[in-house]
Amino acid sequence: MNQHPHQAEEPLTNASQQPITITEARIIERLADASVGAGHAVRVTVIQGGRSKNGFVYDQAALRQIAALLEDTHAYADHSRSEADLQTRSVRDVVGFYHDAEYIAGPAGQPGHVDATLHIFEAANWLWTLINEACTLGRPELIGLSVDLFGAWQVNEATGAKEISAIHTLNSCDVVTRPSAGGAFRRILHAESSLSEGEHLMAEQHNTQTSEITSSTSITPIDAPITSTPSVATQEIDRLREELQCQRCELLLERRLSESILPEPVKTQVRGRFQQRLFEEQELEHELSSALTMMAQLTRDGLVRGHGYEKASITGMVSEAEKVQACFDAMFDLEIDTGRLGNVHGFTSIREAYARVTGDSSLQGGISGSSLLGQLPMSPFGPTGFISEADVTTASFSYLLGSSMNKRLLKDYQAWPAEWMKFVSIVPIRDFKQQSRVRMSAFGSLAIVPEDIPYQSITLGDSAATYVAQKRGNLVPISREAIINDDLHAIKQIPGKLAVAAAYTLAEFVYGFLANNPSIYDGQPLFTTGAPHNNLGAQALSTLALQQGVTAMREQTNFAGKRIGLRPRYLIVPPELEWTSMVVTKSAGVPGSPNNDINPMLGYVQPIVSPQLTSATQWFLAADPREIDTIEVGFVGGQVNPALFIQDQPMLGLNFTQDVLTFKVRHEYGSCVTDFRGLYRGV
């Protein structure tokens, strides 16, 4: 997970709907203490609580787990560059280690953070020099920290955030240039005492100019005698201060000119006015704004067109890993962006695909997680069960295969008929705890209030419908033998069969409420003849029976006994009654009538045919769920589609014991009837 020391303030929403703000980490003081020993130490913020740029939310429990795992962890320079580095990093990459890690609670209403001491080895003096100079110049954001973790998370549907539920492993905490979740250097704890006089003067000047560095942490004096007078020292400090301010102005000037869209000749003119002198940022901004306004006016007047140049852009950059991913997609008959990727031909065998990724066609060492393709941009379809703040991941065989299988799974699942969605309410739920849906009673007619008489008070009762979500899923193994035997046909069928199983299971679950007539929130069966529900008929499907069902729904009342006039929207039938439903709802005249009477049920309801209904005589009416509650289906974390996960660690699970890659499909949901009045059964 990458951290960023200049994380913008980003509002979140926690369980109580209170805003949380992530404040940026920064250097707070600089100390010199040669008594600590060899090397150097820097106090760092490893990770900031709250929400990171990649959408992961770290609460107090997650931060405390990270703090415990961080103690005595190696510090490396940069991220790992290959799959082999993920297993064992080179000794050349080691720059130090972390100790004294602790969780620091934030102020009231604000997230905390994890701090630690980074001890930098003397052999990595280049890193210390870089950190020291960046801190001296007031630019600590040039360097940050990036943490790579394995853990579990779930999506908060209301905010779109990925809330961390558990941290399993801390792989590494690296010194990088592009962090994204609050990792930063806070203070320099100890440094070499053999600084030159100029360096001590610079440090003293830095302490006087930067409000973020406390004045109580003075620099250790030099043992050698100082021959200069106080006036000479003051002059030297002033000279160094002016030189530092000039450097900052130069950096600001070049940065703003590089960001500006002004033509190069105008930039050269502005540069000539501000070079080699001190200026305020507002003065430079005013000059750039004036120049831009002048160019815009000249362009409108037709005196200047196109500014004499075209802005350079880089397009069409496609990595080798992305091309190979497209070959996997084509192997599963998925659409390819030929405009960007060109003509891509899918792999014709699974063994060919494995050899292309790993360079090993014999599989002598089992199913390998290595890759010759390097890094690949993280895909929303990736079958990953771990947390990663990085924008890229290793293009391993299991990841590429799993991504394509997941795309095929979702495409086939979404193509499967799901007409049950028309008459139910779909909601996100946070967890597997009991879900309660309160049903309030209703007011009757408003009472007449005579003159000088107080209003009468009335109260509303309530009841609740409850349900608990359940987890459904299976493991799908792909063995080493299947890859060696080139059993591509069998592997290509896996996503489609998983999609059909997930879609059919969910549909069967929903239609089961209609077919099985379960007891609902009031302890009574869903459909009853007469009281208490008055929503069960006794006639086979016909125009007359349908009219009686409509009347029964129209006569349904609220808690105060007032009719609510519901109109059914859908006619739900088994396959055996499909043609009868068409005749009843699409005939212009009453079927079988000798008098050519008009059919009042023409287009009155929309037929829905469900193969999950096994009774050849049962038929149902359902109201529009936007008008009245019927059945609620809640998906954990708002994950409506089934999710595909992968277990491919070479030293864990079936990959180690049986040479098997394991894919897991998971679907989590629950449901209940929330109001019987929106449903009617004919027989």
Side-chain angles (χ1 to χ4, degrees):
M1 306 175 183
N2 299 339
Q3 328 337 321
H4 202 300
H6 280 270
Q7 180 92 342
E9 294 192 354
E10 179 180 356
L12 293 176
T13 304
N14 60 13
S16 58
Q17 301 299 316
Q18 297 296 322
I20 297 176
T21 302
I22 302 175
T23 56
E24 64 179 26
R26 56 188 174 89
I27 300 174
I28 58 174
E29 61 178 317
R30 172 179 175 173
L31 302 174
D33 183 5
S35 64
V36 178
H40 315 278
V42 183
R43 194 64 179 171
V44 298
T45 292
V46 175
I47 188 167
Q48 184 76 24
R51 183 172 181 172
S52 74
K53 282 188 174 181
N54 287 348
F56 289 104
V57 177
Y58 302 90
D59 58 11
Q60 178 178 341
L63 294 177
R64 289 188 181 278
Q65 292 181 53
I66 293 173
L69 294 172
L70 185 66
E71 192 68 24
D72 294 328
T73 298
H74 288 63
Y76 298 101
D78 295 329
H79 281 304
S80 58
R81 297 177 176 81
S82 65
E83 178 68 19
D85 285 348
L86 289 175
Q87 305 298 327
T88 304
R89 295 292 294 269
S90 171
V91 70
R92 298 184 183 90
D93 294 339
V94 180
V95 295
F97 63 92
Y98 297 91
H99 62 90
D100 296 335
E102 61 178 336
Y103 166 74
I104 306 296
Q110 300 297 322
H113 53 86
V114 175
D115 284 3
T117 298
L118 169 59
H119 182 92
I120 303 174
F121 296 139
E122 285 191 345
N125 194 56
W126 60 271
L127 177 60
W128 160 252
T129 303
L130 185 63
I131 295 173
N132 192 29
E133 184 174 355
C135 294
T136 302
L137 294 176
R139 298 294 301 278
E141 74 277 5
L142 296 175
I143 312 169
L145 299 173
S146 174
V147 183
D148 187 12
L149 303 172
F150 279 93
W153 53 270
Q154 66 178 17
V155 176
N156 186 326
E157 181 67 16
T159 63
K162 291 175 279 191
E163 298 178 345
I164 305 301
S165 58
I167 301 296
H168 301 316
T169 307
L170 190 151
N171 295 328
S172 64
C173 183
D174 309 322
V175 182
V176 298
T177 58
R178 294 183 60 190
S180 73
F185 294 92
R186 296 181 64 84
R187 53 186 168 139
I188 299 173
L189 296 178
H190 62 87
E192 295 177 353
S193 60
S194 58
L195 299 176
S196 66
E197 180 180 348
E199 288 173 325
H200 279 282
L201 292 173
M202 177 65 76
E204 181 181 349
Q205 179 271 332
H206 186 66
N207 280 334
T208 61
Q209 291 299 311
T210 306
S211 61
E212 299 170 345
I213 302 177
T214 61
S215 59
S216 63
T217 57
S218 59
I219 304 300
T220 304
I222 303 174
D223 295 334
I226 301 177
T227 59
S228 59
T229 64
S231 60
V232 174
T234 302
Q235 293 175 1
E236 182 67 13
I237 292 174
D238 292 340
R239 184 187 67 79
L240 291 174
R241 179 185 296 112
E242 182 176 354
E243 181 179 341
L244 180 60
Q245 291 174 345
C246 284
Q247 291 177 356
R248 290 179 175 174
C249 288
E250 288 291 330
L251 291 173
L252 175 63
L253 175 62
E254 294 303 322
R255 180 175 63 85
R256 292 296 293 115
L257 288 178
S258 65
E259 295 172 351
S260 175
I261 62 173
L262 290 170
E264 196 59 38
V266 180
K267 290 183 180 180
T268 302
Q269 186 179 25
V270 174
R271 185 180 288 108
R273 294 177 183 174
F274 287 88
Q275 270 184 332
Q276 303 301 324
R277 73 178 182 89
L278 299 177
F279 57 86
E280 296 293 333
E281 185 175 0
Q282 293 83 355
E283 181 184 358
L284 175 60
E285 293 296 333
H286 177 73
E287 181 70 19
L288 293 174
S289 178
S290 299
L292 193 60
T293 302
M294 180 188 67
M295 291 300 302
Q297 186 62 47
L298 293 175
T299 302
R300 284 194 297 267
D301 295 342
L303 300 178
V304 175
R305 298 182 181 179
H307 292 185
Y309 81 104
E310 293 185 1
K311 188 175 180 180
S313 61
I314 301 175
T315 59
M317 298 181 63
V318 180
S319 68
E320 185 67 18
E322 290 177 282
K323 293 180 180 178
V324 174
Q325 178 70 82
C327 293
F328 274 88
D329 290 347
M331 182 175 68
F332 282 91
D333 302 322
L334 295 167
E335 295 182 0
I336 307 298
D337 184 3
T338 55
R340 177 172 178 266
L341 299 171
N343 294 324
V344 175
H345 300 285
F347 292 116
T348 58
S349 77
I350 195 68
R351 189 169 184 174
E352 174 194 2
Y354 181 85
R356 178 65 183 84
V357 175
T358 65
D360 175 22
S361 59
S362 62
L363 283 83
Q364 291 298 323
I367 302 177
S368 173
S370 63
S371 174
L372 301 177
L373 306 176
Q375 302 292 316
L376 177 74
M378 291 288 288
S379 168
F381 300 100
T384 53
F386 58 87
I387 306 164
S388 178
E389 288 287 358
D391 296 328
V392 296
T393 187
T394 302
S396 64
F397 170 76
S398 57
Y399 183 87
L400 297 172
L401 177 63
S403 295
S404 297
M405 289 178 63
N406 202 21
K407 293 176 187 177
R408 184 77 257 177
L409 167 67
L410 295 180
K411 184 175 182 179
D412 291 345
Y413 176 80
Q414 293 166 0
W416 185 263
E419 293 189 293
W420 56 267
M421 291 185 176
K422 296 178 180 179
F423 60 88
V424 306
S425 300
I426 297 176
V427 299
I429 57 178
R430 291 180 56 86
D431 46 45
F432 293 92
K433 297 178 182 178
Q434 179 173 287
Q435 307 296 315
S436 180
R437 300 296 177 258
V438 177
R439 303 176 67 253
M440 300 296 296
S441 59
F443 294 113
S445 300
L446 294 179
I448 297 175
V449 183
E451 184 178 359
D452 293 335
I453 299 299
Y455 288 87
Q456 298 178 4
S457 298
I458 58 175
T459 58
L460 290 175
D462 60 62
S463 61
T466 61
Y467 66 93
V468 175
Q470 293 179 312
K471 177 171 60 179
R472 295 168 173 82
N474 286 106
L475 297 178
V476 181
I478 297 180
S479 66
R480 174 173 174 265
E481 289 82 356
I483 299 176
I484 294 177
N485 295 337
D486 266 346
D487 201 354
L488 177 60
H489 179 70
I491 294 176
K492 287 179 64 175
Q493 294 185 66
I494 292 175
K497 292 187 178 297
L498 287 176
V500 171
Y504 195 92
T505 302
L506 179 54
E508 194 173 42
F509 175 69
V510 174
Y511 285 112
F513 286 101
L514 304 180
N516 300 330
N517 197 18
S519 296
I520 58 174
Y521 49 85
D522 59 1
Q524 300 294 325
L526 170 59
F527 302 107
T528 64
T529 302
H533 297 165
N534 296 308
N535 60 352
L536 177 59
Q539 296 188 37
L541 180 60
S542 65
T543 300
L544 179 60
L546 194 59
Q547 293 174 14
Q548 293 176 349
V550 172
T551 301
M553 292 188 68
R554 291 284 194 186
E555 292 176 345
Q556 291 287 355
T557 61
N558 61 17
F559 286 90
K562 304 293 184 179
R563 290 184 177 181
I564 55 179
L566 288 175
R567 172 181 172 172
R569 182 75 61 184
Y570 304 103
L571 171 61
I572 307 166
V573 298
E576 292 85 352
L577 294 179
E578 178 177 3
W579 308 118
T580 303
S581 67
M582 294 296 181
V583 171
V584 170
T585 60
K586 297 185 182 297
S587 297
V590 176
S593 172
N595 300 320
N596 294 324
D597 295 337
I598 65 167
N599 180 17
M601 306 313 298
L602 174 63
Y604 196 87
V605 291
Q606 176 184 341
I608 294 177
V609 181
S610 168
Q612 286 77 25
L613 296 175
T614 57
S615 173
T617 59
Q618 288 181 348
W619 56 275
F620 306 87
L621 292 174
D624 192 326
R626 294 172 296 182
E627 297 177 2
I628 188 171
D629 293 333
T630 54
I631 299 173
E632 177 180 302
V633 181
F635 292 90
V636 177
Q639 183 68 34
V640 177
N641 298 320
L644 189 68
F645 298 84
I646 185 174
Q647 201 291 313
D648 63 344
Q649 296 299 309
M651 302 303 293
L652 300 173
L654 296 180
N655 194 5
F656 179 73
T657 60
Q658 300 178 29
D659 291 329
V660 169
L661 288 179
T662 305
F663 291 91
K664 177 178 70 177
V665 63
R666 185 177 69 195
H667 213 185
E668 301 167 328
Y669 51 84
S671 181
C672 71
V673 175
T674 51
D675 200 323
F676 66 85
R677 295 172 298 177
L679 300 169
Y680 176 87
R681 193 172 92 179
V683 177

